[in-house]
Amino acid sequence: MNQDFSRPQKWGLSFDINTQPGPNGRSAGSYAWAGLLNCYFWVDPVKKVTGAVFTQLLPFYDARMVELFGAFERGLYTGLASA
């Protein structure tokens, strides 16, 4: 899985706020949210990009879904870097 919960994080306005750059390209200062049915989104104000994946899949934090979300995030940042 690509999510590393050992990284320092904080909470604000009901969002998870990254205090360090993420492993898939997300900047420090980005914020994210996850919903029960494996709905995920993030906003990266530094790079001015956002991404979202919405499903209706249980259980929450399904390993396949988390991997898909990480691959989507990496792909988006890779595409932006080469544009």
Side-chain angles (χ1 to χ4, degrees):
M1 294 195 191
N2 296 313
Q3 187 70 12
D4 181 4
F5 290 110
S6 64
R7 294 178 177 274
Q9 297 175 325
K10 60 183 181 177
W11 292 93
L13 301 173
S14 299
F15 295 105
D16 174 28
I17 303 170
N18 294 82
T19 58
Q20 296 180 350
N24 297 317
R26 200 180 305 176
S27 303
S30 298
Y31 49 96
W33 177 85
L36 177 63
L37 295 174
N38 287 287
C39 300
Y40 301 92
F41 80 85
W42 84 94
V43 176
D44 185 337
V46 174
K47 295 180 181 170
K48 298 183 179 172
V49 66
T50 186
V53 174
F54 295 100
T55 70
Q56 294 186 1
L57 177 70
L58 287 174
F60 174 68
Y61 205 73
D62 178 75
R64 296 169 299 158
M65 197 55 232
V66 172
E67 186 62 38
L68 174 65
F69 182 63
F72 170 66
E73 186 177 6
R74 281 189 306 278
L76 181 65
Y77 282 108
T78 299
L80 289 172
S82 64

